[in-house]
Amino acid sequence: MILTALAPFASDPTHSRGRLFAQAAAPTRNDYQRDRDRVIHSSAFRRLVYKTQVFLNHEGDLFRTRLTHSLEVAQLGRSLARSLGLHEDLVEAIALAHDLGHTPFGHAGQDALDACMRAHHADDAVGAHNDSPGFEHNLQSLRVVDTLERRYPSHDGLNLTFETREGILKHCSAANASRLEELRPNDVGARFLEGTAPSLEAQLCNLADEIAYNAHDVDDGVRSGLIDFEQLQAVDLVAEHAAHTLRDYPQLSGRRLLAETIRRLLTAQVFDVLAHTQHAIQEAGIDSAQAVRKHGKTLVAFTPSMRARSIELKQFLFANLYRHEQVLDTTARARQVVADLFSIYVQDPTVMPAHYQRYTRPARAAADYIAGMTDRFAIQAHARLTGYHMFASAPGLYG
Ligand code: MG
């Protein structure tokens, strides 16, 4: 059954909690469409094309980057939204913006920057500032759309709706939520303190993110040669769909076998989420967007058995791909680049562009500047400032 109408529990742009700066409605676009368009035109969005997902951007042209990952999340998200009667434009806006705050070099970059910020915070004599002690990419994504984009004559940021901003801040510690609430009461930090849930569109993006990266990391992992299809047969979700594929196409092998297996595995997860979510919404008697929030618990979810299978796949990827020695070698170099850049910029803020020299805290300026860099920009800046090219001698990465 193909549904196209908005369900009563969908987010409705005409009932939006609005923007940070009031603005007249656009003549031809709803507010969530407008958010999506603003994200696509932002400079942070364009930079995602040169940011690492798992493999560094220069390691091969066919691997996912943050940009293609975000597009895959948007595709899965919209498809699920349409079937559930949720607002597709809101889902797309959140999906395209959800990784805007990622540093260069993926999680290695974020971990390095987090460690630098925490160490600096510990000996920060000023102490009394309203800033989180570390670096966290969800908070940074919110910071990009609220503050760091500079495109409008009268305000900083993209001035997105509450609902898009709420979806972007998918995780937040209680300490960071309290800081956000101090700055702007009753805003996107409140739900982490009150135990309320975000919109179904936000919940859906969260799960679409997970479904997308599990599937594409299998694809990229095999393509890179770091894991092989045989090894993946130890994972139930892969083994089951590989067996079904071979039952239907006994001669299939190589890339087509992998692609068909991944396609089936994605479809199975999508149908699982749809059925389980529709059931959960009905069971909880949810009849409005307000009821979703008050309910407090996550409604967009896998069935327990699919959840277990997804965790098994995730654990496999963690042990065999994300912790592969070749990946660890690159992440060690990446951490060094970020740590060196941070200490150089904090010691001498005049090495940064003029805008970042105007910050009252050089550590925050360095974090914002570094987080906004693409992989290659960071590698080049590091080589220029230190004389060492951390990636020039990297062994012919992944063939
Ligand atoms: Mg993501």
Side-chain angles (χ1 to χ4, degrees):
M1 181 176 48
I2 296 175
L3 292 175
T4 47
L6 269 191
F9 39 75
S11 294
D12 179 347
T14 63
H15 295 130
S16 170
R17 281 180 53 181
R19 306 179 184 279
L20 298 178
F21 306 98
Q23 222 172 8
T28 57
R29 294 174 294 165
N30 72 59
D31 277 333
Y32 301 147
Q33 253 181 300
R34 214 175 181 188
D35 282 0
R36 188 262 328 272
D37 297 349
R38 287 176 185 189
V39 170
I40 289 181
H41 288 278
S42 70
S43 73
F45 184 71
R46 286 192 297 281
R47 276 179 267 138
L48 294 178
V49 72
Y50 296 118
K51 288 193 177 199
T52 288
Q53 183 66 26
V54 172
F55 297 93
L56 295 200
N57 175 248
H58 62 266
E59 285 172 344
D61 290 345
L62 291 176
F63 296 128
R64 268 68 172 189
T65 65
R66 287 267 165 223
L67 181 67
T68 53
H69 162 70
S70 301
L71 294 174
E72 289 183 29
V73 176
Q75 179 277 319
L76 274 169
R78 287 186 57 180
S79 168
L80 282 161
R82 196 176 296 189
S83 300
L84 290 167
L86 301 181
H87 207 290
E88 272 184 69
D89 295 326
L90 176 56
V91 165
E92 194 179 11
I94 297 170
L96 295 178
H98 86 282
D99 272 352
L100 290 180
H102 262 290
T103 60
F105 313 121
H107 282 279
Q110 124 129 6
D111 293 348
L113 198 49
D114 183 48
C116 291
M117 284 291 276
R118 282 178 193 283
H120 190 86
H121 191 87
D123 19 275
D124 196 341
V126 185
H129 45 70
N130 207 334
D131 194 5
S132 64
F135 180 89
E136 206 280 315
H137 73 263
N138 282 294
L139 276 179
Q140 190 71 10
S141 295
L142 186 67
R143 205 170 147 72
V144 167
V145 301
D146 280 357
T147 312
L148 299 182
E149 282 288 321
R150 286 171 283 152
R151 311 180 57 79
Y152 292 91
S154 56
H155 60 75
D156 286 338
L158 301 177
N159 196 26
L160 303 181
T161 61
F162 172 87
E163 293 76 23
T164 300
R165 295 172 57 246
E166 166 192 64
I168 291 172
L169 190 66
K170 56 180 178 177
H171 306 295
C172 188
S173 68
N176 284 333
S178 304
R179 277 187 203 96
L180 289 175
E181 280 297 287
E182 261 174 59
L183 286 170
R184 214 175 260 140
N186 201 19
D187 193 45
V188 292
R191 73 180 168 95
F192 299 97
L193 302 170
E194 294 163 355
T196 51
S199 71
L200 290 172
E201 286 82 356
Q203 296 180 28
L204 193 159
C205 284
N206 231 340
L207 198 54
D209 186 19
E210 188 183 329
I211 297 174
Y213 67 66
N214 277 336
H216 66 50
D217 288 351
V218 166
D219 192 30
D220 283 353
V222 174
R223 190 186 287 279
S224 69
L226 297 187
I227 54 178
D228 63 42
F229 198 64
E230 277 309 299
Q231 241 180 313
L232 276 160
Q233 304 310 308
V235 180
D236 275 357
L237 194 57
V238 180
E240 178 192 337
H241 295 290
H244 288 173
T245 303
L246 286 169
R247 181 195 60 203
D248 296 345
Y249 304 96
Q251 306 304 323
L252 213 58
S253 65
R255 286 223 53 84
R256 282 181 202 261
L257 173 58
L258 177 67
E260 182 61 20
T261 303
I262 292 175
R263 183 178 3 262
R264 287 174 185 226
L265 163 163
L266 276 171
T267 306
Q269 290 178 89
V270 165
F271 287 161
D272 182 272
V273 172
L274 286 179
H276 186 70
T277 303
Q278 273 156 346
H279 177 76
I281 289 171
Q282 223 167 36
E283 185 103 307
I286 302 294
D287 56 0
S288 69
Q290 267 324 95
V292 171
R293 293 194 151 78
K294 260 195 234 134
H295 182 64
K297 293 192 215 74
T298 304
L299 291 157
V300 182
F302 285 134
T303 55
S305 73
M306 186 61 90
R307 170 50 64 200
R309 296 179 140 216
S310 162
I311 289 172
E312 190 197 10
L313 173 55
K314 214 181 282 235
Q315 285 168 342
F316 174 91
L317 289 170
F318 203 81
N320 297 283
L321 182 62
Y322 311 144
R323 288 226 175 130
H324 191 287
E325 63 177 43
Q326 255 176 284
V327 172
L328 291 181
D329 173 70
T330 5
T331 54
R333 292 164 197 256
R335 268 201 296 273
Q336 189 66 48
V337 168
V338 168
D340 288 348
L341 286 178
F342 183 84
S343 75
I344 289 168
Y345 294 144
V346 169
Q347 270 164 37
D348 182 6
T350 66
V351 190
M352 289 188 285
H355 171 74
Y356 298 98
Q357 297 176 33
R358 290 194 282 272
Y359 279 54
T360 48
R361 295 188 64 223
R364 174 40 71 185
D368 282 347
Y369 184 37
I370 294 169
M373 293 178 180
T374 61
D375 294 3
R376 61 183 184 181
F377 187 95
I379 292 168
Q380 282 161 8
H382 182 265
R384 200 173 56 243
L385 291 166
T386 65
Y388 292 104
H389 200 300
M390 292 297 289
F391 288 89
S393 61
L397 287 155
Y398 317 137

